[in-house]
Amino acid sequence: MKITSVDCLLISEKLEDPWVMGLGTAYKRDELIVRIRTDEGIEGLGSSYHAHTPHAVKSLIESKLAPLVVGQSPLQIQSLWEKMFFGSIHLGSAAAQAIAGIDIALWDILGKVTGQPVYRLLGGGDDSGSGPRLAAYIGCQTMGIRDDLDSLADEARGYVEEGFTAVKVRGGANVSLDLAAVAAVREAVGPDVAVMIDANARYSWPEAVRLSKGLEEFDTFWLEDPFDFTVAVHKRELGTLRNLSHTAIASGGNVFTRFDMEDLVRLGGVDYLTPDVVKSAGISECIKIASLASAANIIIATHTYNGLGQVANLHFAAAIPAHIRGHVEWDAGGNNAFRDHLVSPAVRVEDGFIHVPDAPGLGVTLSEDAMERFAYEEGPEILGVPRRRAWAPRS
């Protein structure tokens, strides 16, 4: 079997209601889907994170990576990964995200050739006979920043009534509003539900210290990504911050390979690692990241978005050792067509648990009307805002 082509498909879903996070306001969802065809008629699907520059990542895949794999056997996944990685290492994180879509599609092909779901090829699964299910936490494009804290509390309460036991608030607006949002959600859901907050890397050191210490009062499950990832020392400072309070630290959704993750772990900055297979160079690389986490006794809490990338992340999460497997991110909000209509069958969620597709490969196909229904819309997915910092004395 030989790879005959690698194609990229850009799709969009316009949001009915804008969603606000620390980075800015989202008006749509985008996804970059990778499709690999073979000379035996078997096709594989994957997803690469678009990095808010989808045409650039698409071009990288088609012009740089596709020529490296076309004509090769799709079953030699590891050797193709190394060929792509070391052939594009000078392109940094963009290359890692581009590699992800091809790598995931190769695992989809291998699953179809062998008649096995990807999670089982990776050594995961259970003896239930119906495929594994994973505990979910509410994240993605939910629980956005808002002034109306009553509506935020109502949203959180609704998820708990559906059976979810963990919810994530979006932060990064300012420290006072972040603390007020967590306080409102904690009061709404009670003491037995995990409440996290994601600052989306918006804060300076003194702001992050104030936030981390303030979150202790609300038994906050974790503080995710308090620092800007462009700061060279952010991994070391995460470790310092972790030692200043009892609030656990989560990070890894914007750290792209095992090499960066190893630094994050070694410097003591995290209690939860949050890799995403569409960002962190695919399933192959994320399995290696899970091994790092296992050696350091750090929990993996898979970061993800709805869509095909969500499905790939489910297979990864189902395959990692149970002793380091945490909650998987899930968007249970209303009006989410990527979640409900992009792939067939749609991912099933019951009582706060996600069921991993059990058919060969990723276990899903693109819905027949996907490309028409989700025609790509030009323009930014998230309209960013300038960073505003209230500098305070260092603690």
Side-chain angles (χ1 to χ4, degrees), residues 63-322:
S63 64
K64 179 66 177 177
L65 300 182
L68 297 177
V69 301
V70 169
Q72 306 299 308
S73 167
L75 307 184
Q76 53 182 15
I77 298 175
Q78 184 57 44
S79 62
L80 290 181
W81 190 95
E82 292 192 359
K83 187 176 184 180
M84 291 187 290
F85 182 77
F86 291 107
S88 60
I89 195 168
H90 53 289
L91 296 171
S93 60
Q97 292 165 97
I99 288 168
I102 294 178
D103 180 78
I104 293 166
L106 294 177
W107 280 103
D108 189 31
I109 290 172
L110 181 60
K112 291 171 180 175
V113 168
T114 59
Q116 296 292 329
V118 168
Y119 73 79
R120 196 174 298 280
L121 293 177
L122 297 169
D126 54 34
D127 57 3
S128 67
S130 59
R133 61 179 200 155
L134 306 171
Y137 78 83
I138 296 298
C140 303
Q141 290 179 321
T142 62
M143 309 285 290
I145 294 171
R146 67 193 74 167
D147 294 326
D148 183 1
L149 297 183
D150 288 338
S151 70
L152 183 67
D154 288 342
E155 183 181 355
R157 194 180 295 110
Y159 296 136
V160 174
E161 291 172 354
E162 293 177 24
F164 295 95
T165 59
V167 297
K168 186 166 77 176
V169 177
R170 287 291 171 170
N174 62 66
V175 173
S176 297
L177 183 57
D178 286 358
L179 292 174
V182 172
V185 170
R186 169 57 72 205
E187 182 178 1
V189 302
D192 298 326
V193 173
V195 178
M196 306 99 143
I197 183 169
D198 184 353
N200 287 120
R202 295 301 284 177
Y203 287 130
S204 64
W205 167 263
E207 289 171 311
V209 171
R210 287 173 52 215
L211 179 59
S212 180
K213 290 186 174 182
L215 290 171
E216 293 180 11
E217 178 182 349
F218 311 111
D219 189 26
T220 307
F221 194 80
W222 79 41
L223 166 60
E224 184 175 349
D225 290 349
F227 297 127
D228 188 335
F229 285 91
T230 62
V231 177
V233 297
H234 85 270
K235 299 184 184 74
R236 185 178 70 236
E237 291 206 342
L238 276 178
T240 304
L241 180 65
R242 185 184 182 216
N243 293 328
L244 286 180
S245 81
H246 297 292
T247 302
I249 299 294
S251 190
N254 295 289
V255 181
F256 300 101
T257 66
R258 84 195 89 141
F259 309 108
D260 281 338
M261 292 284 187
E262 195 275 337
D263 281 346
L264 199 55
V265 170
R266 179 173 51 84
L267 294 171
V270 289
D271 301 280
Y272 297 89
L273 273 178
T274 59
D276 187 326
V277 297
V278 308
K279 288 184 168 185
S280 299
I283 291 172
S284 298
E285 185 70 352
C286 282
I287 288 295
K288 296 178 178 68
I289 290 168
S291 295
L292 287 174
S294 178
N297 199 30
I298 293 174
I299 300 295
I300 293 279
T302 310
H303 175 283
T304 189
Y305 302 94
N306 291 121
L308 185 66
Q310 170 90 65
V311 177
N313 273 299
L314 294 179
H315 284 275
F316 161 62
I320 64 177

Side-chain angles (χ1 to χ4, degrees), residues 348-377:
R348 184 163 56 97
V349 180
E350 294 177 326
D351 298 324
F353 286 87
I354 309 173
H355 292 263
V356 184
D358 203 37
L362 294 178
V364 299
T365 60
L366 290 181
S367 299
E368 290 184 3
D369 65 344
M371 298 313 299
E372 179 179 353
R373 180 170 190 162
F374 300 112
Y376 180 70
E377 288 192 17

Side-chain angles (χ1 to χ4, degrees), residues 10 28 30-32 48-61 91 93-95 97-98 376-382:
L10 292 178
K28 62 172 181 165
D30 292 333
E31 186 165 10
L32 196 170
S48 283
Y49 183 57
H50 50 69
H52 305 293
T53 54
H55 291 293
V57 179
K58 178 177 182 288
S59 177
L60 200 164
I61 293 170
L91 296 171
S93 60
Q97 292 165 97
Y376 180 70
E377 288 192 17
E378 295 291 347
E381 182 187 51
I382 297 174

